[in-house]
Structures are given as C-alpha cells and as structure tokens.
Amino acid sequence: MGYQHVRTDGSAIELPVGKVVCVGRNYVAHAQELNNPVPTEPLLFMKPSTALVPMGEPVRVPQGHGSVHFETELAILIGEPLSQVGEQAAQHAIAGIGLALDLTLREVQDKLKQKGHPWEIAKAFDGSCPLSPFLTPACVPDLGDVQVRLTVDGEVRQDGNSAQMITPILKLLSYISQWFTLQPGDVVLTGTPAGVGELQPGSDLRVEIVDLLRVDTRAV
Ligand code: ZN
C-alpha cells in the first residue's frame, strides 16, 4: 500500500503524494556540530515520494551502510501550486504542519561530500522520510515559534525552536519556489536543530511539536 498524507485525527488528506524538498544547515548550532560552514543561502536537496513512510510505523534502520542519523524536522504540507511566489502566497498555500525524520546515511554522505558528489543516495533512499500526521495550519498560530523535540529512550536528544532557523519558514517556501514549483501534496522539511545522532534499532522514539503533536514510534 502506498503512502497517504493524513490529519492528526486519522482522516486522509485529499492531496496526492509528491516530492519532499529539504533544506540543509538551517540552524546554526547544527551546522557547527557537523563542522559545516553556515550557508549564506538555503542549501536545498530533495527526496522522492518513495522516501515517505508513516512515522507511527516502526522506523526501519538500513543495515550495512554505516551509521544512520536521525534529524528531527518540522514538515510543511503544501496545498496549492507555488511557483516564484512571495511569503504571503506561501503562507496561504500551507495545508498542514507536521514532523519528519530526515534519515541520513552519515558515512555515505561524508564520503560523497569529500568527493564533491551529490548526496542523493545518503538522503533519498526508500523509507528515508518517516512523516507524521499533519495539524491544520490554524492549530499553529505562530510559525516563528514552534518547538520541535525528539526523545530517544526517555532522553531528550533534540529540542529546537523555529525561531532559531536561519531562513524562516515562509521565506524558505518563497526561496524554494524560485527554483522548483511546489505542487499540492509536496512536503517541505525545514532543517534540523542540533543534537543529531545515530539511530539504533530497538530505540523508542518520541517525536513532538511541543504541546501540539506527539508520535511515539520505534526504530527496528
Ligand atoms: Zn535534514
């Protein structure tokens, strides 16, 4: 069965399932923890729709390719086409707000980066984007103050606020739309706060938008 976007009440969202556009290094503290320079403009990459899996199902950790890192990110579901738009149009097009894990084969990525090659296989493999149900936009009054948290086996590992983003959400959507048309059903991942680490099979994961959305799942 294919992936389908859903609301937090479990109802299906009547949108197709499209691409996922992601931004790297959108929080200063995360760029620094991986010894990466802080970019001067958003660093974009994509995952195909085949990367999407429901976050509530056990998260499969790929084996045999080195460490698999979790990156907990605020996810924006797009409801209307966006091409070369400003921030106001971007805001109007938001159909949902949720959470994603941007799973990353860190050693594979490091090797590709050293060679100056694209990261694709380290970031866009099947199942690399567990995605939560989506809140309606009205549930999130201020996109500039959203607290995202990951707890692994009872220990808080990532805890960041959208206020810390280098490129805020609406500016990011506008920027993306200058390069790639965002289609209804596409998802934008807005970058990870500091605290990324290795995902171990057998770990219990709690992924949250604090006070608004919580997904309990398990790595296998
Ligand atoms: Zn990421």
Side-chain angles (χ1 to χ4, degrees):
M1 204 174 70
Y3 178 85
Q4 168 73 55
H5 296 307
V6 292
R7 293 260 173 237
T8 48
D9 66 4
S11 61
I13 298 175
E14 297 301 319
L15 288 172
V17 176
K19 63 185 176 291
V20 183
V21 182
C22 310
V23 58
R25 304 175 203 165
N26 200 26
Y27 290 76
V28 173
H30 169 63
Q32 289 171 342
E33 73 180 342
L34 295 183
N35 295 315
N36 285 316
V38 176
T40 52
E41 58 183 321
L43 183 63
L44 302 182
F45 59 96
M46 285 194 258
K47 296 175 188 259
S49 60
T50 43
L52 293 172
V53 288
M55 187 183 275
E57 292 182 4
V59 174
R60 201 176 59 80
V61 182
Q63 299 298 306
H65 304 291
S67 67
V68 182
H69 272 202
F70 52 77
E71 297 188 355
T72 309
E73 311 201 5
L74 201 59
I76 305 296
L77 178 64
I78 303 298
E80 295 169 18
L82 290 177
S83 179
Q84 304 190 345
V85 297
E87 295 183 28
Q88 202 176 353
Q91 180 159 27
H92 192 73
I94 295 176
I97 296 159
L99 291 159
L101 291 173
D102 168 17
L103 297 183
T104 304
L105 297 169
R106 191 67 74 198
E107 273 99 57
V108 173
Q109 185 192 31
D110 285 345
K111 277 185 200 150
L112 292 166
K113 276 163 65 179
Q114 279 165 20
K115 292 182 194 163
H117 291 171
W119 303 340
E120 232 70 15
I121 59 171
K123 284 280 197 183
F125 57 88
D126 287 355
S128 62
C129 192
L131 197 57
S132 78
F134 285 95
L135 297 160
T136 57
C139 296
V140 183
D142 183 359
L143 287 173
D145 180 17
V146 184
Q147 190 79 17
V148 172
R149 184 176 295 161
L150 172 71
T151 306
V152 181
D153 292 331
E155 184 189 343
V156 175
R157 300 291 298 274
Q158 294 195 270
D159 199 11
N161 193 288
S162 59
Q164 301 161 330
M165 289 178 183
I166 296 168
T167 305
I169 292 170
L170 297 181
K171 196 173 172 191
L172 177 64
L173 297 180
S174 169
Y175 178 84
I176 291 169
S177 82
Q178 310 306 312
W179 299 93
F180 311 123
T181 297
L182 289 166
Q183 300 276 24
D186 286 352
V187 173
V188 171
L189 266 51
T190 56
T192 191
V196 302
E198 192 167 353
L199 187 61
Q200 304 282 3
S203 315
D204 289 316
L205 310 176
R206 170 166 287 181
V207 194
E208 294 174 271
I209 297 177
V210 176
D211 296 332
L212 294 176
L213 176 62
R214 174 185 290 174
V215 179
D216 287 321
T217 190
R218 186 173 174 79
V220 294

CSV table of all heavy atoms in Angstrom, one decimal, residues 128-172:
chain,number,residue,atom,x,y,z
A,128,SER,N,13.5,6.8,3.8
A,128,SER,CA,14.3,7.8,4.5
A,128,SER,C,13.6,9.0,5.1
A,128,SER,O,14.2,9.9,5.7
A,128,SER,CB,15.4,8.3,3.5
A,128,SER,OG,14.8,9.0,2.4
A,129,CYS,N,12.2,9.0,4.9
A,129,CYS,CA,11.5,10.2,5.4
A,129,CYS,C,10.2,9.7,6.1
A,129,CYS,O,9.1,9.9,5.6
A,129,CYS,CB,11.2,11.1,4.3
A,129,CYS,SG,10.6,12.7,4.9
A,130,PRO,N,10.3,9.2,7.4
A,130,PRO,CA,9.1,9.0,8.2
A,130,PRO,C,8.4,10.3,8.4
A,130,PRO,O,9.1,11.3,8.8
A,130,PRO,CB,9.7,8.4,9.5
A,130,PRO,CG,11.0,7.8,9.1
A,130,PRO,CD,11.6,8.7,8.1
A,131,LEU,N,7.1,10.3,8.2
A,131,LEU,CA,6.3,11.5,8.3
A,131,LEU,C,5.1,11.4,9.2
A,131,LEU,O,4.4,10.3,9.1
A,131,LEU,CB,5.9,11.9,6.8
A,131,LEU,CG,5.4,13.3,6.5
A,131,LEU,CD1,6.5,14.3,6.9
A,131,LEU,CD2,5.1,13.4,5.0
A,132,SER,N,4.9,12.4,10.0
A,132,SER,CA,3.7,12.3,10.9
A,132,SER,C,2.4,12.7,10.3
A,132,SER,O,2.4,13.2,9.2
A,132,SER,CB,4.0,13.3,12.1
A,132,SER,OG,3.7,14.6,11.7
A,133,PRO,N,1.3,12.5,11.0
A,133,PRO,CA,0.1,13.1,10.6
A,133,PRO,C,0.2,14.7,10.6
A,133,PRO,O,1.1,15.2,11.4
A,133,PRO,CB,-1.0,12.6,11.6
A,133,PRO,CG,-0.4,11.4,12.1
A,133,PRO,CD,1.1,11.6,12.1
A,134,PHE,N,-0.6,15.4,9.9
A,134,PHE,CA,-0.5,16.8,9.9
A,134,PHE,C,-1.6,17.6,10.7
A,134,PHE,O,-2.7,17.2,10.6
A,134,PHE,CB,-0.6,17.3,8.4
A,134,PHE,CG,0.7,17.0,7.6
A,134,PHE,CD1,0.8,15.9,6.9
A,134,PHE,CD2,1.8,17.9,7.7
A,134,PHE,CE1,2.0,15.6,6.2
A,134,PHE,CE2,2.9,17.6,7.0
A,134,PHE,CZ,3.0,16.5,6.2
A,135,LEU,N,-1.1,18.6,11.4
A,135,LEU,CA,-2.0,19.5,12.1
A,135,LEU,C,-2.6,20.5,11.0
A,135,LEU,O,-1.9,20.8,10.0
A,135,LEU,CB,-1.3,20.4,13.1
A,135,LEU,CG,-0.7,19.7,14.3
A,135,LEU,CD1,0.4,20.5,14.9
A,135,LEU,CD2,-1.7,19.3,15.3
A,136,THR,N,-3.8,21.0,11.2
A,136,THR,CA,-4.2,22.1,10.3
A,136,THR,C,-3.5,23.3,10.6
A,136,THR,O,-3.1,23.5,11.8
A,136,THR,CB,-5.7,22.3,10.4
A,136,THR,OG1,-6.0,22.6,11.8
A,136,THR,CG2,-6.6,21.1,10.0
A,137,PRO,N,-3.2,24.2,9.7
A,137,PRO,CA,-2.4,25.4,9.9
A,137,PRO,C,-3.0,26.3,11.1
A,137,PRO,O,-2.2,26.9,11.9
A,137,PRO,CB,-2.5,26.2,8.6
A,137,PRO,CG,-2.7,25.2,7.6
A,137,PRO,CD,-3.6,24.1,8.2
A,138,ALA,N,-4.3,26.2,11.3
A,138,ALA,CA,-4.9,27.1,12.3
A,138,ALA,C,-4.5,26.6,13.7
A,138,ALA,O,-4.5,27.4,14.7
A,138,ALA,CB,-6.4,27.0,12.2
A,139,CYS,N,-4.0,25.4,13.8
A,139,CYS,CA,-3.5,24.8,15.1
A,139,CYS,C,-2.2,25.5,15.5
A,139,CYS,O,-1.8,25.3,16.7
A,139,CYS,CB,-3.4,23.3,15.1
A,139,CYS,SG,-4.9,22.4,14.8
A,140,VAL,N,-1.5,26.1,14.6
A,140,VAL,CA,-0.2,26.6,14.8
A,140,VAL,C,-0.2,28.1,14.6
A,140,VAL,O,0.0,28.6,13.5
A,140,VAL,CB,0.9,25.9,13.9
A,140,VAL,CG1,2.3,26.4,14.3
A,140,VAL,CG2,0.8,24.4,14.0
A,141,PRO,N,-0.5,28.9,15.7
A,141,PRO,CA,-0.7,30.3,15.5
A,141,PRO,C,0.5,31.1,15.0
A,141,PRO,O,0.4,32.1,14.3
A,141,PRO,CB,-1.2,30.8,16.9
A,141,PRO,CG,-0.8,29.7,17.8
A,141,PRO,CD,-0.7,28.4,17.0
A,142,ASP,N,1.7,30.6,15.4
A,142,ASP,CA,2.9,31.4,15.1
A,142,ASP,C,4.0,30.5,14.5
A,142,ASP,O,4.6,29.7,15.3
A,142,ASP,CB,3.4,32.1,16.3
A,142,ASP,CG,4.6,33.0,16.0
A,142,ASP,OD1,5.1,33.1,14.8
A,142,ASP,OD2,5.1,33.7,16.9
A,143,LEU,N,4.2,30.5,13.2
A,143,LEU,CA,5.2,29.6,12.6
A,143,LEU,C,6.6,30.0,13.1
A,143,LEU,O,7.6,29.2,12.9
A,143,LEU,CB,5.2,29.8,11.1
A,143,LEU,CG,4.0,29.1,10.4
A,143,LEU,CD1,4.0,29.4,8.9
A,143,LEU,CD2,4.0,27.6,10.6
A,144,GLY,N,6.8,31.2,13.6
A,144,GLY,CA,8.1,31.6,14.1
A,144,GLY,C,8.4,31.2,15.6
A,144,GLY,O,9.4,31.6,16.1
A,145,ASP,N,7.5,30.4,16.1
A,145,ASP,CA,7.6,29.9,17.5
A,145,ASP,C,7.0,28.5,17.6
A,145,ASP,O,6.0,28.3,18.2
A,145,ASP,CB,7.0,30.9,18.5
A,145,ASP,CG,7.1,30.5,19.9
A,145,ASP,OD1,8.0,29.6,20.2
A,145,ASP,OD2,6.4,31.0,20.8
A,146,VAL,N,7.7,27.5,17.0
A,146,VAL,CA,7.3,26.1,17.1
A,146,VAL,C,8.4,25.3,17.7
A,146,VAL,O,9.5,25.3,17.2
A,146,VAL,CB,6.9,25.6,15.7
A,146,VAL,CG1,6.3,24.2,15.8
A,146,VAL,CG2,5.9,26.5,15.0
A,147,GLN,N,8.1,24.6,18.7
A,147,GLN,CA,9.2,23.8,19.4
A,147,GLN,C,9.1,22.4,19.0
A,147,GLN,O,8.1,21.7,19.1
A,147,GLN,CB,8.9,23.9,20.9
A,147,GLN,CG,10.1,23.4,21.8
A,147,GLN,CD,11.2,24.4,21.9
A,147,GLN,OE1,11.1,25.6,21.6
A,147,GLN,NE2,12.4,23.9,22.3
A,148,VAL,N,10.2,21.9,18.4
A,148,VAL,CA,10.3,20.5,17.9
A,148,VAL,C,11.3,19.7,18.9
A,148,VAL,O,12.3,20.2,19.2
A,148,VAL,CB,10.9,20.5,16.5
A,148,VAL,CG1,11.2,19.1,16.0
A,148,VAL,CG2,9.9,21.2,15.6
A,149,ARG,N,10.8,18.5,19.2
A,149,ARG,CA,11.6,17.8,20.2
A,149,ARG,C,11.7,16.3,19.8
A,149,ARG,O,10.7,15.7,19.4
A,149,ARG,CB,11.0,17.9,21.6
A,149,ARG,CG,11.8,17.3,22.7
A,149,ARG,CD,11.1,17.6,24.1
A,149,ARG,NE,11.2,19.0,24.4
A,149,ARG,CZ,10.4,19.6,25.3
A,149,ARG,NH1,9.5,18.9,25.9
A,149,ARG,NH2,10.5,20.9,25.5
A,150,LEU,N,12.8,15.7,20.0
A,150,LEU,CA,13.0,14.2,19.8
A,150,LEU,C,13.5,13.7,21.1
A,150,LEU,O,14.5,14.1,21.7
A,150,LEU,CB,14.0,13.9,18.7
A,150,LEU,CG,14.3,12.4,18.6
A,150,LEU,CD1,13.2,11.6,18.1
A,150,LEU,CD2,15.6,12.2,17.7
A,151,THR,N,12.8,12.6,21.6
A,151,THR,CA,13.3,11.9,22.8
A,151,THR,C,13.6,10.5,22.5
A,151,THR,O,12.7,9.8,21.8
A,151,THR,CB,12.1,12.0,23.9
A,151,THR,OG1,11.8,13.4,24.1
A,151,THR,CG2,12.6,11.4,25.2
A,152,VAL,N,14.8,10.0,22.8
A,152,VAL,CA,15.2,8.7,22.5
A,152,VAL,C,15.4,7.9,23.8
A,152,VAL,O,16.2,8.3,24.6
A,152,VAL,CB,16.5,8.6,21.6
A,152,VAL,CG1,16.9,7.2,21.3
A,152,VAL,CG2,16.3,9.5,20.4
A,153,ASP,N,14.6,6.8,23.9
A,153,ASP,CA,14.7,6.0,25.2
A,153,ASP,C,14.6,6.9,26.4
A,153,ASP,O,15.3,6.7,27.4
A,153,ASP,CB,15.9,5.2,25.2
A,153,ASP,CG,15.9,4.1,24.1
A,153,ASP,OD1,14.8,3.6,23.8
A,153,ASP,OD2,17.0,3.7,23.6
A,154,GLY,N,13.7,7.9,26.4
A,154,GLY,CA,13.4,8.7,27.5
A,154,GLY,C,14.3,9.9,27.7
A,154,GLY,O,14.2,10.7,28.6
A,155,GLU,N,15.3,10.0,26.8
A,155,GLU,CA,16.3,11.1,26.9
A,155,GLU,C,16.1,12.1,25.8
A,155,GLU,O,16.1,11.7,24.6
A,155,GLU,CB,17.7,10.6,26.9
A,155,GLU,CG,18.8,11.6,27.0
A,155,GLU,CD,20.2,11.0,26.8
A,155,GLU,OE1,20.3,9.8,26.7
A,155,GLU,OE2,21.1,11.8,26.6
A,156,VAL,N,15.9,13.4,26.1
A,156,VAL,CA,15.7,14.4,25.1
A,156,VAL,C,17.0,14.6,24.3
A,156,VAL,O,18.1,14.9,24.9
A,156,VAL,CB,15.3,15.8,25.7
A,156,VAL,CG1,15.2,16.9,24.6
A,156,VAL,CG2,13.9,15.6,26.4
A,157,ARG,N,17.0,14.4,23.0
A,157,ARG,CA,18.2,14.5,22.2
A,157,ARG,C,18.2,15.7,21.3
A,157,ARG,O,19.3,16.2,21.0
A,157,ARG,CB,18.3,13.2,21.3
A,157,ARG,CG,18.4,11.9,22.1
A,157,ARG,CD,19.7,11.8,22.9
A,157,ARG,NE,20.9,11.8,22.0
A,157,ARG,CZ,21.3,10.7,21.4
A,157,ARG,NH1,20.8,9.5,21.6
A,157,ARG,NH2,22.4,10.7,20.6
A,158,GLN,N,17.0,16.1,20.8
A,158,GLN,CA,16.9,17.3,20.0
A,158,GLN,C,15.8,18.1,20.6
A,158,GLN,O,14.7,17.6,20.9
A,158,GLN,CB,16.6,17.0,18.5
A,158,GLN,CG,17.8,16.2,17.9
A,158,GLN,CD,17.6,16.2,16.4
A,158,GLN,OE1,17.0,15.3,15.8
A,158,GLN,NE2,18.1,17.2,15.7
A,159,ASP,N,16.0,19.4,20.7
A,159,ASP,CA,15.0,20.3,21.2
A,159,ASP,C,15.2,21.7,20.6
A,159,ASP,O,16.1,22.4,21.1
A,159,ASP,CB,15.1,20.3,22.7
A,159,ASP,CG,13.9,20.8,23.4
A,159,ASP,OD1,12.8,21.0,22.8
A,159,ASP,OD2,13.9,21.0,24.7
A,160,GLY,N,14.5,22.1,19.6
A,160,GLY,CA,14.8,23.3,18.9
A,160,GLY,C,13.5,24.1,18.6
A,160,GLY,O,12.5,23.5,18.5
A,161,ASN,N,13.7,25.4,18.4
A,161,ASN,CA,12.5,26.2,18.1
A,161,ASN,C,12.7,26.8,16.7
A,161,ASN,O,13.8,27.2,16.3
A,161,ASN,CB,12.4,27.3,19.1
A,161,ASN,CG,11.1,28.0,19.1
A,161,ASN,OD1,10.8,28.8,18.2
A,161,ASN,ND2,10.2,27.7,20.0
A,162,SER,N,11.6,26.9,16.0
A,162,SER,CA,11.7,27.5,14.6
A,162,SER,C,12.2,29.0,14.7
A,162,SER,O,12.7,29.5,13.6
A,162,SER,CB,10.3,27.5,13.9
A,162,SER,OG,9.3,28.2,14.7
A,163,ALA,N,12.1,29.6,15.8
A,163,ALA,CA,12.7,30.9,15.9
A,163,ALA,C,14.2,30.9,15.7
A,163,ALA,O,14.8,31.9,15.3
A,163,ALA,CB,12.5,31.5,17.3
A,164,GLN,N,14.9,29.7,15.8
A,164,GLN,CA,16.3,29.6,15.6
A,164,GLN,C,16.7,29.3,14.1
A,164,GLN,O,17.9,29.2,13.8
A,164,GLN,CB,16.9,28.5,16.5
A,164,GLN,CG,16.6,28.7,18.0
A,164,GLN,CD,16.7,27.4,18.7
A,164,GLN,OE1,16.5,26.3,18.2
A,164,GLN,NE2,17.1,27.5,20.0
A,165,MET,N,15.7,29.2,13.3
A,165,MET,CA,16.0,28.9,11.9
A,165,MET,C,16.8,30.1,11.2
A,165,MET,O,16.4,31.3,11.4
A,165,MET,CB,14.8,28.7,11.1
A,165,MET,CG,14.1,27.4,11.4
A,165,MET,SD,12.6,27.2,10.4
A,165,MET,CE,12.0,25.6,11.1
A,166,ILE,N,17.8,29.8,10.4
A,166,ILE,CA,18.5,30.8,9.7
A,166,ILE,C,17.6,31.4,8.6
A,166,ILE,O,17.5,32.7,8.5
A,166,ILE,CB,19.8,30.2,9.0
A,166,ILE,CG1,20.7,29.7,10.1
A,166,ILE,CG2,20.4,31.2,8.1
A,166,ILE,CD1,21.8,28.9,9.6
A,167,THR,N,16.9,30.6,7.8
A,167,THR,CA,15.9,31.0,6.9
A,167,THR,C,14.5,30.6,7.5
A,167,THR,O,14.2,29.4,7.5
A,167,THR,CB,16.0,30.4,5.5
A,167,THR,OG1,17.4,30.7,5.1
A,167,THR,CG2,15.1,31.0,4.5
A,168,PRO,N,13.7,31.6,7.9
A,168,PRO,CA,12.4,31.2,8.5
A,168,PRO,C,11.5,30.5,7.5
A,168,PRO,O,11.7,30.6,6.2
A,168,PRO,CB,11.8,32.6,8.9
A,168,PRO,CG,12.9,33.6,8.8
A,168,PRO,CD,13.9,33.0,7.9
A,169,ILE,N,10.4,29.9,7.9
A,169,ILE,CA,9.6,29.0,7.1
A,169,ILE,C,9.0,29.7,5.8
A,169,ILE,O,9.2,29.2,4.7
A,169,ILE,CB,8.5,28.4,8.0
A,169,ILE,CG1,9.1,27.4,9.0
A,169,ILE,CG2,7.5,27.7,7.1
A,169,ILE,CD1,8.1,27.0,10.0
A,170,LEU,N,8.4,30.8,6.0
A,170,LEU,CA,7.8,31.4,4.8
A,170,LEU,C,8.8,31.9,3.8
A,170,LEU,O,8.6,31.8,2.6
A,170,LEU,CB,6.9,32.6,5.2
A,170,LEU,CG,5.7,32.2,6.1
A,170,LEU,CD1,4.8,33.4,6.4
A,170,LEU,CD2,4.8,31.1,5.4
A,171,LYS,N,9.9,32.4,4.3
A,171,LYS,CA,11.0,32.9,3.4
A,171,LYS,C,11.6,31.7,2.7
A,171,LYS,O,11.9,31.7,1.5
A,171,LYS,CB,12.1,33.6,4.3
A,171,LYS,CG,13.0,34.4,3.5
A,171,LYS,CD,14.0,35.2,4.4
A,171,LYS,CE,15.1,35.8,3.5
A,171,LYS,NZ,16.1,36.4,4.4
A,172,LEU,N,11.7,30.5,3.4
A,172,LEU,CA,12.2,29.3,2.8
A,172,LEU,C,11.3,28.8,1.7
A,172,LEU,O,11.7,28.4,0.6
A,172,LEU,CB,12.3,28.2,3.9
A,172,LEU,CG,12.8,26.9,3.4
A,172,LEU,CD1,14.2,26.9,2.8
A,172,LEU,CD2,12.7,25.9,4.6
